[in-house]
Amino acid sequence: MTEDQQRFLCEAIALAQDNLEHGGRPFGAVVVRNGEVVASGVNEILKTNDPTAHAELMAIRAASSKLGSPSLAGCTVYASGHPCPMCMAAMRLSGVAEVYYAYSNEDGAPYGLSTAAIYADLAKPFAEQSMKIQYLPVRLDSAPDLYAEWASRQATT
């Protein structure tokens, strides 16, 4: 572990600790680019009643806003806990280059803070997952194909 990795993970943990002291869940995250913190976030699920308000997503949203771009290419995320599949997907979609976390799913399991079961469920084929997922190919007769229309608009911009 480098000094920077240690420093940024400690910053994420300190955010999580502060959030805990203010009635939130024990998760914090920082987005770093070129050795500088671009943005940070804490878990705001209990504050907002938004189940997607995870620390990593809050930090990603703040970083994207600050940078004026949905691309976080070249950024690294430091999280206090093991990112859940939703957060991991968001980091991949935004182009985050690296992710480091301080507490594992195994560390969180005794306290109900592990997402290992979700990872395991998502690894199964759709038909075997706990949530019903089904492709139904519906199209609007009164409008052009949604994806084709999007592609044609992208070509003109």
Side-chain angles (χ1 to χ4, degrees):
M1 177 182 335
T2 68
E3 285 183 34
D4 278 349
Q5 290 169 331
Q6 172 88 21
R7 178 168 49 101
F8 294 130
L9 284 172
C10 285
E11 188 167 335
I13 294 168
L15 286 166
Q17 183 66 45
D18 186 62
N19 199 46
L20 181 65
E21 291 173 10
H22 288 92
R25 292 172 53 92
F27 300 103
V30 294
V31 176
V32 175
R33 187 169 71 176
N34 299 325
E36 299 292 327
V37 173
V38 175
S40 62
V42 296
N43 185 294
E44 295 186 12
I45 290 174
L46 299 176
K47 178 180 176 183
T48 64
N49 294 317
D50 176 355
T52 70
H54 290 201
E56 297 90 341
L57 289 184
M58 301 307 287
I60 287 168
R61 291 169 184 157
S64 293
S65 179
K66 182 174 182 178
L67 296 173
S69 172
S71 174
L72 297 181
C75 291
T76 301
V77 172
Y78 294 87
S80 61
H82 189 288
C84 76
M86 174 182 64
C87 292
M88 200 66 81
M91 290 184 278
R92 286 179 182 264
L93 289 168
S94 68
V96 166
E98 298 175 299
V99 179
Y100 299 99
Y101 58 94
Y103 283 77
S104 70
N105 271 327
E106 292 78 15
D107 295 329
Y111 310 101
L113 298 173
S114 172
T115 57
I118 298 170
Y119 274 103
D121 196 42
L122 288 171
K124 298 175 187 175
F126 282 173
E128 297 175 25
Q129 291 186 23
S130 62
M131 181 174 71
K132 183 176 182 177
I133 305 168
Q134 186 175 359
Y135 170 63
L136 301 172
V138 174
R139 305 294 186 266
L140 295 178
D141 292 334
S142 62
D145 181 78
L146 187 61
Y147 290 177
E149 180 66 14
W150 178 84
S152 71
R153 290 176 187 220
Q154 296 304 302
T156 61
T157 55

